[in-house]
Amino acid sequence: MAEDFYKSLELNRGASPAEIDKAYARLARKYHPDVNPDDKDAKTKFQEIQAAYDVLKDPKKREMYDRYGSAFEQAAPGGGPRGGAGWSPGAGAEGFDFAQFFGGEMPGGMGDIFGQMRRGRGSRRGRTAPVAGADIEAEVEIPFNLAVSGGETQLTLMRENGERETLTVRIPAGIEDGKKLRLRGRGEPGANGGPRGNLLVTVRTAGHPFFTRKGDHLYVRLPVTLLEAAAGAKIDVPTPKGTVSLRVPPGSGSGAKLRIKGHGVAGADRPPGDLFAEVQIMLPASLDDAALAQIRQIDSRYPLEPRRDLRW
């Protein structure tokens, strides 16, 4: 039981019956578990509000509560209100007209919710209320390409009853590693007719042998020959949108970054990033003496100091 029923309904101790009704209608609408299926604390809060209203709505129970506080049950004749005649959990809401506070029409299906509450008052004893099923969590690893472009993957679950269930999970384009997807109604079954819980899937992205990702930008090391780097060339580069022709400027050295605009990661609600190709000059595994002599001539003709700015 809450220590302060007035605080539970956000009221002062001099609140009128009409103010109590209005506070209950407002808070019950806000915290009812059916309105907040993803809030695990909503049910506890709603029960606290209900318990407070059950007492403060009834003049006799309210008088006992005002006199004895949270110990009023023990102070009441015959073992307190819960042991006395006429007491039943939620009895204070019997006949409560929620619609009067919403212009005669309950918004968002609330009429169905509160109507079920009223209908259940007279026969609550011996009947268990519906309870939503528990949420469950799972993890799935997807290929790098699928995370970028989006698509579908398969996830196999082991249910509590020992049965295996394979689900198709839709992967949105541009999803980041570690993001969670919610599959409504794919959790554990509810009790007493309650709704199923949800399935929360954490997505892990596998690496790629050539591409890396930072935010919505993609990076790739682009192997080129010595001649392509020195003289310039047009090179085919694979991207998420297909192969594009990239121009390598003459005199490009290893480490030079060339941007392919708009060919990075494209999410559904944001503009695409870019693809950055880093030039990587490749040399033959072995060169004969004649080839080395030619390279020496080039070195002597075009002297460089490549490590001039190298510092610790």
Side-chain angles (χ1 to χ4, degrees), residues 139-143 146 151-157 165-171 201:
E139 188 171 296
V140 64
E141 183 177 81
I142 61 174
L146 181 58
E152 293 182 347
T153 189
Q154 301 296 311
L155 172 64
T156 300
L157 294 176
E165 181 179 359
T166 300
L167 303 175
T168 298
V169 181
R170 191 183 71 81
I171 303 297
V201 182

Side-chain angles (χ1 to χ4, degrees), residues 30-33 36-37 39-47:
K30 180 178 180 181
Y31 291 105
H32 195 281
N36 303 275
D39 187 351
K40 296 181 179 180
D41 296 329
K43 180 180 179 181
T44 300
K45 182 65 177 177
F46 180 77
Q47 290 173 339

Side-chain angles (χ1 to χ4, degrees), residues 7-294:
K7 183 177 180 181
S8 296
L9 293 180
E10 300 177 3
L11 295 169
N12 58 48
R13 288 189 169 270
S16 67
E19 290 173 330
I20 293 173
D21 284 346
K22 289 182 180 180
Y24 174 64
R26 175 175 58 84
L27 294 172
R29 178 177 181 267
K30 180 178 180 181
Y31 291 105
H32 195 281
D34 290 347
V35 183
N36 303 275
D38 299 327
D39 187 351
K40 296 181 179 180
D41 296 329
K43 180 180 179 181
T44 300
K45 182 65 177 177
F46 180 77
Q47 290 173 339
E48 178 183 324
I49 293 167
Q50 185 67 61
Y53 181 72
D54 288 346
V55 172
L56 299 185
K57 177 63 176 177
D58 188 299
K60 293 182 180 180
K61 297 170 189 172
R62 181 179 180 182
E63 180 183 357
M64 293 293 292
Y65 177 73
D66 289 344
R67 183 180 301 178
Y68 298 105
S70 59
F72 79 103
E73 293 182 348
Q74 289 74 26
R82 289 188 187 273
W87 171 271
S88 65
E94 182 72 29
F96 183 86
D97 185 10
F98 290 91
Q100 65 177 309
F101 298 109
F102 300 99
E105 183 175 349
M106 299 292 285
M110 295 300 297
D112 292 339
I113 294 173
F114 291 121
Q116 293 169 4
M117 290 166 52
R118 290 195 298 270
R119 289 194 294 272
R121 299 301 181 200
S123 59
R124 177 179 285 191
R125 183 171 300 171
R127 179 181 298 177
T128 304
V131 178
D135 292 344
I136 59 177
E137 296 195 14
E139 188 171 296
V140 64
E141 183 177 81
I142 61 174
F144 186 93
N145 307 57
L146 181 58
V148 172
S149 302
E152 293 182 347
T153 189
Q154 301 296 311
L155 172 64
T156 300
L157 294 176
M158 179 66 75
R159 295 291 185 180
E160 287 187 348
N161 59 9
E163 294 183 358
R164 285 181 175 272
E165 181 179 359
T166 300
L167 303 175
T168 298
V169 181
R170 191 183 71 81
I171 303 297
I175 193 170
E176 296 179 355
D177 181 71
K179 289 292 185 180
K180 287 189 176 182
L181 300 176
R182 184 189 304 274
L183 278 67
R184 294 188 178 276
R186 293 293 190 172
E188 295 298 338
N192 307 307
R196 293 184 71 107
N198 302 318
L199 171 61
L200 307 177
V201 182
T202 301
V203 178
R204 298 296 180 189
T205 304
H208 193 283
F210 304 108
F211 288 81
T212 57
R213 175 182 177 181
K214 293 180 182 178
D216 285 341
H217 295 317
L218 293 177
Y219 297 82
V220 62
R221 288 185 175 180
L222 181 64
V224 300
T225 67
L226 182 60
L227 179 60
E228 288 172 334
K234 284 190 176 181
I235 298 175
D236 288 341
V237 180
T239 79
K241 296 181 178 180
T243 301
V244 299
S245 181
L246 177 65
R247 180 178 175 271
V248 178
S252 295
S254 286
K257 289 186 173 62
L258 308 176
R259 184 174 74 163
I260 307 176
K261 190 174 182 179
H263 283 260
V265 180
D269 56 351
R270 59 189 187 273
D274 300 329
L275 171 61
F276 293 88
E278 180 181 337
V279 173
Q280 189 175 28
I281 299 175
M282 307 296 292
L283 293 174
S286 63
L287 294 171
D288 59 25
D289 292 340
L292 290 174
Q294 291 176 337

